């Protein structure tokens, strides 16, 4: 990738994830071993992503950062077969789980990148190549000293904007109100973004399932807050 596109959005050694020890179930391991070569995009050498070559067609591209177990990813992709979805996740059991869902549901419009999304966005995505980013329930990093690990913060948000086509969107949601306020401030102050709901939260999107994070939030009396920003021309 050209030198001018190389940006370091987080200081060296700061990661937005904590690698969990979580064991893989037998079925996740089997899916990983048998299906990764078919649905995981190789990232050795961090090649620039050529979406038409990866998916075998020209279509809208949505990139999901940190899909967890891929529950929303699979449901949204199944309901929108005309759009191609690239899910990025570092947690191996989650990759195994989404692989098995892709196979079980016969989904042709999902590929997975098993890697740090910050590096993928910075080094493997071309400018103006993405129609939307989904960032659902990212790790909230509630302690003040960990705020620097939050995914939705500048200058990373500026990098996301540069990868969006004009009119492309960022869809964020969290059940941590303090992170929601923080993300709203970071996104609102990022040049080139406009909030589709004025300066506030967006209505719950109908076409997504309730994930375990949302279920837990509801049980514990926390509201899920969503933000939808669009790249202005
Ligand atoms: C709290 S979980 C939410 C999972 C999912 N989006 C959901 O709604 O169920 C956040 C996920 O983001 C992943 N993650 C965080 N930073 C990441 C990064 N830089 N690259 C890839 N995955 C990341 C974590 O591994 C974790 O699985």
């Amino acid at each position: 990738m050209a030198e001018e596109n190389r940006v370091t959005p987080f200081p060296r050694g700061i990661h937005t994830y904590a690698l969990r020890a979580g064991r893989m179930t037998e079925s996740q391991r089997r899916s990983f071993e048998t299906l990764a070569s078919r649905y995981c995009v190789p990232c050795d050498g961090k090649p620039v992503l050529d979406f038409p070559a990866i998916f075998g067609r020209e279509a809208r591209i949505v990139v999901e950062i940190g899909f967890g177990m891929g529950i929303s990813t699979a449901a949204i992709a199944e309901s929108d077969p005309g759009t191609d979805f690239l899910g990025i996740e570092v947690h191996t059991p989650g990759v195994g789980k989404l692989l098995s869902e892709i196979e079980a549901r016969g989904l042709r419009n999902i590929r997975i990148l098993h890697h740090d999304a910050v590096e993928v966005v910075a080094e493997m995505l071309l400018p103006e190549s993405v129609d939307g980013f989904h960032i659902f329930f990212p790790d909230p990093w509630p302690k003040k000293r960990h705020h620097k690990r939050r995914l939705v913060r500048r200058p990373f948000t500026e990098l996301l904007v540069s990868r969006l086509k004009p009119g492309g969107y960022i869809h964020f949601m969290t059940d941590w109100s303090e992170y929601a306020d923080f993300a709203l401030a970071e996104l609102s102050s990022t040049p080139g973004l406009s909030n589709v709901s004025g300066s506030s939260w967006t209505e719950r999107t109908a076409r997504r399932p309730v994930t375990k994070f949302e279920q837990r939030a509801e049980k514990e009396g926390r509201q899920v807050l969503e933000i939808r920003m669009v790249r202005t021309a």
Side-chain angles (χ1 to χ4, degrees):
M1 176 165 289
E3 207 47 46
E4 70 270 19
N5 292 325
R6 289 191 189 280
V7 188
T8 312
F10 287 88
R12 189 180 284 277
I14 300 296
H15 296 296
T16 63
Y17 54 86
L19 274 184
R20 289 159 283 159
R23 278 161 50 89
M24 278 181 126
T25 64
E26 206 32 55
S27 111
Q28 287 163 359
R29 182 181 312 283
R30 230 186 356 263
S31 301
F32 198 83
E33 283 166 6
T34 55
L35 302 172
S37 59
R38 212 176 313 161
Y39 301 112
C40 285
V41 178
C43 57
D44 287 352
K46 307 215 188 92
V48 168
L49 297 176
D50 175 353
F51 290 117
I54 289 170
F55 288 96
R57 65 174 182 173
E58 297 271 356
R60 279 164 48 81
I61 296 289
V62 170
V63 174
E64 181 174 359
I65 300 182
F67 59 72
M69 289 297 175
I71 308 294
S72 300
T73 324
I76 292 174
E78 191 167 32
S79 73
D80 187 3
T83 298
D84 289 331
F85 293 84
L86 177 73
I88 313 176
E89 178 55 65
V90 288
H91 187 53
T92 312
V95 172
K97 172 72 179 143
L98 181 55
L99 283 168
S100 64
E101 284 296 312
I102 291 173
E103 188 73 352
R105 300 184 192 211
L107 301 173
R108 295 291 163 259
N109 58 339
I110 302 183
R111 295 292 182 280
I112 295 174
L113 245 166
H114 184 202
H115 198 72
D116 182 344
V118 172
E119 288 185 14
V120 174
V121 173
E123 299 178 44
M124 297 173 70
L125 289 182
L126 282 174
E128 303 199 349
S129 62
V130 171
D131 292 276
F133 284 105
H134 289 178
I135 306 175
F136 297 165
F137 303 96
D139 299 287
W141 297 111
K143 291 184 182 148
K144 194 157 183 9
R145 70 173 193 279
H146 285 151
H147 285 184
K148 57 180 179 291
R149 301 181 70 169
R150 286 178 168 171
L151 187 72
V152 176
R153 62 178 304 132
R154 294 178 71 179
F156 186 59
T157 52
E158 291 159 34
L159 194 60
L160 291 176
V161 173
S162 73
R163 279 25 182 173
L164 280 177
K165 298 175 191 170
Y169 67 88
I170 298 174
H171 189 174
F172 166 92
M173 66 188 74
T174 184
D175 56 328
W176 286 85
S177 64
E178 194 265 325
Y179 190 12
D181 289 337
F182 178 92
L184 186 61
E186 294 292 294
L187 290 164
S188 302
S189 66
T190 301
L193 284 181
S194 162
N195 188 331
V196 299
S197 306
S199 55
S200 188
W201 318 113
T202 288
E203 292 285 300
R204 187 189 192 283
T205 13
R207 61 167 197 136
R208 67 179 172 84
V210 177
T211 65
K212 81 169 183 196
F213 290 97
E214 195 157 8
Q215 269 168 2
R216 195 170 61 197
E218 270 169 18
K219 221 168 99 194
E220 295 173 6
R222 286 193 308 278
Q223 195 189 353
V224 171
L225 294 166
E226 303 193 21
I227 304 170
R228 202 172 164 101
M229 310 289 296
V230 171
R231 181 177 165 180
T232 52

